[in-house]
Amino acid sequence: MTLELESSKDNLVIQAKLASPLTGNLETRQVHLPNLTVAISTVSTDVSGIKGDLQGSVTVDGVKQNVQANLAGKVADSNIKARLEVAGFANPA
């Protein structure tokens, strides 16, 4: 799977590209992105651009209503390591 996104407002443009093999099961409502790569860049006339590259994995369990993401890489010359979890997303507050 490859997903390319671009958003712009005024003089700021944000671009992102996500790529990973995609596996899943509709009956069990599970999706896995085992080798996710994310490339992010910004362009602006006011400030210098920001670039970043992250690698990791994402797992979605629709029955248990949780998402888990593990990412690591570099954004704007800073090393990033993140673990994100979302639970109970069927009824957002």
Side-chain angles (χ1 to χ4, degrees):
M1 173 196 79
T2 301
L3 179 64
E4 293 184 26
L5 306 167
E6 183 173 308
S7 178
S8 62
K9 183 172 181 180
D10 299 326
N11 60 347
L12 176 65
V13 177
I14 301 171
Q15 297 173 323
K17 182 176 181 179
L18 294 83
S20 176
L22 172 69
T23 61
N25 184 314
L26 292 176
E27 290 181 16
T28 61
R29 299 191 300 183
Q30 295 186 359
V31 176
H32 303 284
L33 303 168
N35 295 310
L36 180 65
T37 60
V38 180
I40 302 167
S41 65
T42 65
V43 178
S44 173
T45 57
D46 293 339
V47 294
S48 61
I50 297 172
K51 291 188 179 199
D53 292 298
L54 301 168
Q55 295 80 36
S57 63
V58 176
T59 300
V60 178
D61 187 329
V63 174
K64 293 181 181 178
Q65 297 184 11
N66 65 41
V67 177
Q68 183 176 21
N70 295 297
L71 299 169
K74 199 168 214 168
V75 176
D77 296 327
S78 295
N79 292 322
I80 304 288
K81 186 173 184 180
R83 178 179 175 157
L84 309 166
E85 293 186 35
V86 178
F89 53 82
N91 297 312

